[in-house]
Amino acid sequence: MTPIEFRTRRKALCLNQEEIGRCIALVSPMADGTDRPAIRQATIARWERERGLPEWADMEMLSIFHKLDITLQLMQDDAARIGTIAIAMYSPMSVAPIPAYADDETFWREQPQWAGWPAALWNLAALRAADTLADQKHRDIQLTESE
């Protein structure tokens, strides 16, 4: 995978370099099965510049991004469930909220099943869920910042 392809895929997931480093660790254990430490932001920056990805990452990166896409879809399904409940609870003339998070700690506290994952990935999933539900249910659904 070229540096530009890696950077483009990272940005498509709305993740910064530190967040993609954590995500790679979550979906890509070490060869011996132990947890991979998060990839440092400086390392990701080098991968996205002239250096490119190391051999192990280059060989696994399409699979890693596929796993991240699956995780994003699972988050979107969770956000859609929350949105569906909100639609049922709020009057047809009001806005149905789906929570979004400004920081990881709040996200992990309110969505503990996603502990370790970046709030930015949830926010992308929630946005996609809101758009899909709005189209399907003909309702105004918005992301609301959870505090």
Side-chain angles (χ1 to χ4, degrees), residues 96-114:
I98 294 178
Y101 303 94
D103 63 85
D104 292 336
E105 290 75 22
T106 304
F107 172 53
W108 299 337
R109 185 177 62 252
E110 294 193 15
Q111 302 290 335
Q113 72 275 25
W114 296 111

Side-chain angles (χ1 to χ4, degrees), residues 132-143:
T132 300
L133 284 172
D135 287 345
Q136 292 173 348
K137 306 291 184 181
H138 307 291
R139 285 287 303 272
D140 190 9
I141 302 169
Q142 295 179 349
L143 299 188

Side-chain angles (χ1 to χ4, degrees), residues 52-64:
L53 281 67
E55 186 177 343
W56 74 265
D58 190 41
M59 292 174 39
E60 293 183 33
M61 203 51 66
L62 284 177
S63 174
I64 288 169

Side-chain angles (χ1 to χ4, degrees), residues 1-42:
M1 179 175 295
T2 65
I4 188 73
E5 181 181 354
F6 178 84
R7 184 172 56 251
T8 301
R9 288 177 182 275
R10 171 183 64 79
K11 288 183 175 185
L13 292 171
C14 299
L15 298 173
N16 65 32
Q17 292 174 335
E18 183 270 332
E19 291 165 338
I20 194 69
R22 284 193 284 139
C23 288
I24 291 168
L26 287 167
V27 300
S28 175
M30 301 294 284
D32 64 4
T34 59
D35 290 342
R36 180 182 300 282
I39 311 288
R40 294 179 321 119
Q41 180 274 328

